[in-house]
Amino acid sequence: MQLSRYNISLIRGDGIGPEQAAAAKKILETISDSSSTKFSIIEVDAGDGTLAKHGKALPESAVDIIKKSQACLKAPVGESAADVIIVLRRMFDLYANVRPARSYPNIPSLSNNVDLVIVRENTEDVYLGWEFNADETTVVALRVTSERASRRIAEYAFKMAMLRNGKREVVAVHKANVLRRGDGLFAATCKTIGSKFPKVQYSELYVDACSMKLIRNPEEFDVIVTTNLFGDILSDEASQVVGGLGMGPAANIGDQFALFEPVHGAAFDIAGKNAANPSSILLSAKMMLEWLADKYNDRNAAAEGKRIEDAIVGVLKKGGRTKDIGGKLSTTQFTKLVSKAMY
Ligand code: ATP
């Protein structure tokens, strides 16, 4: 099916969430006004504020709107994040969490030549929340690893290595020397899937070695595939390597639906100050357009997505930066410059 108008559900979230959502809305409206790719944006309230008002962080009405949309763009949610994003990941079986980290111009960073992507398994591990008390002073948390989930995330990572303009390398990151059964299964499955992709070079790294290498030689990575908790931690590290959380987009991808969101949280310390870097959500919107382009066979959508990233690069090259990356621009000033640079 081909589309050129997309219904997008936009979760406003908490903390800097509403400011980030407003920036994304402005850029999607810029695209709607200036190109053949059109959006109908439906704003959705979910998170701490919604919990306080309606007794539920993710009410049925919000789920209904999300279900009717072609994709969801989500600003960060505060303390109730687990009741929103983890529920949505499970509800739509969004099994691949894709988190790119790329060097952009004029941003203080550890290396100027990074272009990597972390493909994080998104459905298992400790995120099932299976914790219980063994006795009054001891808690046991279950870490779940299945062959099925390992297989589909590995397949996703190898396909991505084939498609992206990178080195065609996949490194599976785990801790199989300690978690012999669970991570042993994950590593063995990645290796088996890798044998079906002879054009992609496959290797493995323990998570501790990977976290060191991300600081020392981040430019050497192409695609990292890893389990849920390790992926969560390594992707925050990777975004710091290239200039901070304000530059970190993410995608939660399933076979039928996808949700896009910044890597960072609600950043309450800067909320309401017009100080957040909107690049994280704007680059998430770019990933959303690429996904829509692929799903609906719509090349124009991919071109508009690239336009967002090119405009951010253009603004950065001219020295336009928010405070977190060494500049003085407010959220709205930066967003306006990006919008102007697009067409
Ligand atoms: P979570 O656990 O929900 O991911 P967190 O505790 O890691 O959240 P964040 O909300 O992600 O915390 O913020 C971490 C730091 O990064 C804060 O100092 C915050 O101000 C900064 N930060 C996060 N996002 C942005 C952004 N878009 N622009 C500028 N600074 C940001």
Side-chain angles (χ1 to χ4, degrees):
M1 185 178 40
Q2 223 169 343
L3 286 182
S4 57
R5 176 174 284 279
Y6 299 100
N7 291 329
I8 303 299
S9 47
L10 177 64
I11 297 180
R12 285 159 42 80
D14 307 303
I16 59 171
E19 296 161 74
Q20 297 289 76
K25 191 175 175 201
K26 177 166 178 65
I27 295 304
L28 293 178
E29 283 172 353
T30 303
I31 294 172
S32 276
D33 291 345
S34 317
S35 80
S36 59
T37 304
K38 309 286 181 196
F39 301 102
S40 299
I41 299 162
I42 308 134
E43 293 186 50
V44 182
D45 282 319
D48 299 355
T50 313
L51 176 65
K53 232 193 254 169
H54 303 291
K56 249 187 142 181
L58 184 66
E60 284 301 314
S61 53
V63 173
D64 283 346
I65 294 172
I66 296 166
K67 277 185 178 163
K68 283 184 191 134
S69 63
Q70 265 88 40
C72 178
L73 187 59
K74 178 189 150 292
V77 163
E79 293 305 315
S80 56
D83 297 325
V84 177
I85 186 61
I86 294 180
V87 171
L88 288 171
R89 283 173 185 161
R90 218 169 281 159
M91 189 178 285
F92 293 101
D93 196 18
L94 307 175
Y95 62 87
N97 194 325
V98 182
R99 298 184 158 192
R102 186 172 290 172
S103 302
Y104 288 103
N106 275 332
I107 297 184
S109 57
L110 288 183
S111 165
N112 294 324
N113 207 16
V114 179
D115 185 7
L116 64 84
V117 57
I118 296 178
V119 177
R120 160 187 170 193
E121 201 290 316
N122 217 13
T123 63
E124 303 192 322
D125 201 336
V126 293
Y127 289 76
L128 291 173
W130 289 349
E131 288 188 304
F132 58 90
N133 274 76
D135 59 40
E136 272 179 19
T137 56
T138 311
V139 174
V140 175
L142 295 182
R143 185 173 188 275
V144 178
T145 311
S146 73
E147 191 189 339
R148 175 177 176 266
S150 304
R151 198 178 336 113
R152 60 181 184 171
I153 200 66
E155 274 168 0
Y156 192 93
F158 279 97
K159 281 182 191 157
M160 170 162 280
M162 288 295 292
L163 288 174
R164 77 194 298 265
N165 257 346
K167 302 187 192 87
R168 287 201 173 162
E169 290 173 9
V170 169
V171 55
V173 173
H174 55 74
K175 190 74 182 166
N177 52 341
V178 176
L179 299 160
R180 289 191 185 146
R181 287 195 182 201
D183 274 18
L185 174 63
F186 177 76
T189 310
C190 288
K191 196 171 176 188
T192 305
I193 300 296
S195 64
K196 294 191 207 158
F197 292 84
K199 289 187 178 153
V200 181
Q201 197 186 320
Y202 174 71
S203 60
E204 292 175 20
L205 262 184
Y206 291 135
V207 64
D208 40 352
C210 179
S211 65
M212 276 199 301
K213 191 172 163 180
L214 266 176
I215 303 282
R216 203 188 285 224
N217 305 107
E219 61 289 329
E220 287 183 10
F221 287 104
D222 182 16
V223 177
I224 294 172
V225 62
T226 190
T227 50
N228 206 341
L229 182 60
F230 294 160
D232 188 5
I233 298 165
L234 291 175
S235 53
D236 266 33
E237 184 188 353
S239 62
Q240 284 301 329
V241 166
V242 295
L245 286 169
M247 299 303 298
N252 297 268
I253 311 260
D255 288 333
Q256 304 302 329
F257 193 69
L259 180 151
F260 302 81
E261 59 175 349
V263 168
H264 59 74
F268 287 108
D269 54 333
I270 55 166
K273 295 182 177 158
N274 200 12
N277 183 349
S279 302
S280 54
I281 198 160
L282 301 186
L283 293 168
S284 303
K286 177 221 166 196
M287 293 179 82
M288 178 177 79
L289 282 167
E290 285 171 345
W291 182 81
L292 289 169
D294 197 35
K295 182 162 167 67
Y296 295 102
N297 195 16
D298 176 5
R299 269 200 217 155
N300 295 338
E304 300 313 321
K306 185 168 182 307
R307 204 185 278 280
I308 298 177
E309 187 172 38
D310 288 349
I312 291 174
V313 168
V315 172
L316 293 170
K317 274 190 178 158
K318 286 186 183 160
R321 294 181 294 183
T322 45
K323 206 171 161 193
D324 58 310
I325 49 173
K328 289 191 174 139
L329 294 178
S330 68
T331 311
T332 45
Q333 285 169 331
F334 187 88
T335 308
K336 254 188 212 158
L337 289 179
V338 173
S339 168
K340 268 196 191 155
M342 284 177 71
Y343 296 94

